[in-house]
Amino acid sequence: MSMKKINSSSTLGKLVMKTLFLIGAFCMVFFMHPALSYAGGLDNALTSSQDAGEEEERTNIREPGSSEDADELGELNIANNVTVSVNDGNGSIAGALRVMLILTGIALAPILIICLTSFTRIIIVLHFTRAALNTQTAPPNQVLIALSLFLTYFIMSPIITEINETAIKPFEAGQITQEEALEAGIAPLREFMCRETQAKDAKVFCEIGGYEWTGDKEDVPTSALIPSFMISELRTAFIIGFVIYIPFIVIDMVVASALMSMGMMMLPPTTISMPFKILLFVLADGWNLVIVQLVRTFY
């Protein structure tokens, strides 16, 4: 009885193996047949792949560098190539390279916003204000960053407009070269940074970098002007933050003295002082005072 079971199981296994083999062979024939039958077999398939490189079958129209004018350059050419053409002395960047430069600019945009605009001073002062109120996460970081970005856009909008009018539009129209566009674009930013930079910071960085400086902030090299501007912004922001802290420190001291006089030493003073801080801030229209006066420091 056991021998019959063993023979039947072995027969079933052989049948399963044969079935799987037939299915695999059928799949190979099914998937390979269209490619072979299209060109009449393997040899014809290889021959057709070699013939595909002939001039009549190629997907490109001409070799790179063979275009004689802008119209020919705009037509279908070698695939996956980046081309740079020159038209009347003005560099014209191909689409693929332009996209790459735009993506690079987007990646560098946060650094430029932080280092070359009013964003740093605004965000630091707003964080000082929240810390002085002792409200922990109200308003949240997302709100403070969004508010700082919009205030930065409001302050920098005249400079952005000037850069667009003096650098971007003339360059797109082919009226100036790339070097002239860069010089014209950095000039408004340099004027803004020079206005907000303190002379002692510019002097220190010029001495460290070995630059000759005449005492005029307009003559400071850009490589020394940017860190000087950042240091000046941090100093100004911390001074404003200290001024904002003063009335709230007074409230903390008064509340702590009152609790000590009543013998309530185990009660944290911040628990009692925080509602009074918020009340004082709301009654004085604190956000309007802080933001409006902060914006006016740039004018």
Side-chain angles (χ1 to χ4, degrees), residues 205-219:
F205 279 98
C206 286
E207 291 177 355
I208 295 174
Y211 302 114
E212 295 183 359
W213 187 43
T214 60
D216 190 0
K217 289 187 290 186
E218 283 74 12
D219 297 333

Side-chain angles (χ1 to χ4, degrees), residues 26-42:
F26 174 77
C27 292
M28 292 178 62
V29 173
F30 178 78
F31 286 109
M32 293 180 64
H33 176 71
L36 297 178
S37 62
Y38 180 79
L42 181 60

Side-chain angles (χ1 to χ4, degrees), residues 130-254:
R130 186 179 68 179
L133 287 171
N134 198 24
T135 54
Q136 303 298 328
T137 58
N141 290 330
Q142 293 86 346
V143 175
L144 294 183
I145 293 174
L147 180 59
S148 301
L149 287 174
F150 280 107
L151 290 176
T152 300
Y153 174 73
F154 174 77
I155 295 171
M156 303 297 295
S157 57
I159 300 173
I160 296 173
T161 303
E162 185 177 356
I163 293 175
N164 185 44
E165 295 293 334
T166 60
I168 297 177
K169 287 185 177 180
F171 177 71
E172 291 291 338
Q175 300 174 358
I176 57 177
T177 62
Q178 182 178 356
E179 291 77 9
E180 294 173 346
L182 290 176
E183 293 179 359
I186 197 65
L189 287 174
R190 282 184 53 87
E191 182 181 355
F192 170 78
M193 289 188 291
C194 289
R195 188 172 66 245
E196 303 298 332
T197 302
Q198 298 186 12
K200 60 180 181 180
D201 296 326
K203 180 180 179 181
V204 168
F205 279 98
C206 286
E207 291 177 355
I208 295 174
Y211 302 114
E212 295 183 359
W213 187 43
T214 60
D216 190 0
K217 289 187 290 186
E218 283 74 12
D219 297 333
V220 179
T222 304
S223 59
L225 180 60
I226 294 177
S228 304
F229 170 74
M230 291 293 295
I231 296 297
S232 300
E233 287 293 284
L234 290 175
R235 181 186 296 108
T236 304
F238 272 73
I239 292 174
I240 298 174
F242 173 76
V243 174
I244 292 174
Y245 250 102
I246 292 177
F248 299 105
I249 292 177
V250 173
I251 294 176
D252 285 333
M253 294 176 63
V254 171

